[in-house]
Amino acid sequence: MTREKLGKEAVAAALTGLDGWALAADGASIKRTFTFANFSEAFAFMTRVALAAEKMDHHPDWSNVYKTVDVTLNTHDAGGVTALDIDLAKKMNRFFGG
């Protein structure tokens, strides 16, 4: 998958199909907060995402406090959002919903 920065229109179009995701204030990242029933569910989600991210060689910026996981995605070497970020966001949504 390419590490080319997506244009503003492409990011906006991708976000229409990504429930819960929004453009971050910096304009160069997408973000979402995932809320779970408890810490164990949040940690299990992070574990599933970590395995997928490692396979993709593309890692999220995230934090966890109890049952909440805050995620910011961008591709640092591209200076913005790429197809990798969109793909990882889709995987996160599937893991959250599954």
Side-chain angles (χ1 to χ4, degrees), residues 32-78:
R32 179 169 179 182
T33 298
F34 295 92
T35 305
F36 299 87
N38 53 49
F39 176 76
S40 293
E41 288 185 16
F43 194 83
F45 169 79
M46 292 180 77
T47 301
R48 287 189 296 273
V49 171
L51 294 170
E54 190 64 20
K55 285 181 183 177
M56 296 172 69
D57 190 28
H58 189 63
H59 306 92
D61 293 327
W62 58 4
S63 65
N64 165 240
V65 177
Y66 182 52
K67 64 180 186 172
T68 304
V69 179
D70 290 309
V71 180
T72 301
L73 298 177
N74 67 41
T75 303
H76 300 285
D77 55 348

Side-chain angles (χ1 to χ4, degrees), residues 4-50:
E4 289 184 28
K5 182 178 171 182
L6 298 175
K8 290 180 183 182
E9 297 82 18
V11 173
L15 286 173
T16 63
L18 284 171
D19 286 343
W21 290 88
L23 189 63
D26 66 7
S29 307
I30 58 175
K31 64 179 184 168
R32 179 169 179 182
T33 298
F34 295 92
T35 305
F36 299 87
N38 53 49
F39 176 76
S40 293
E41 288 185 16
F43 194 83
F45 169 79
M46 292 180 77
T47 301
R48 287 189 296 273
V49 171

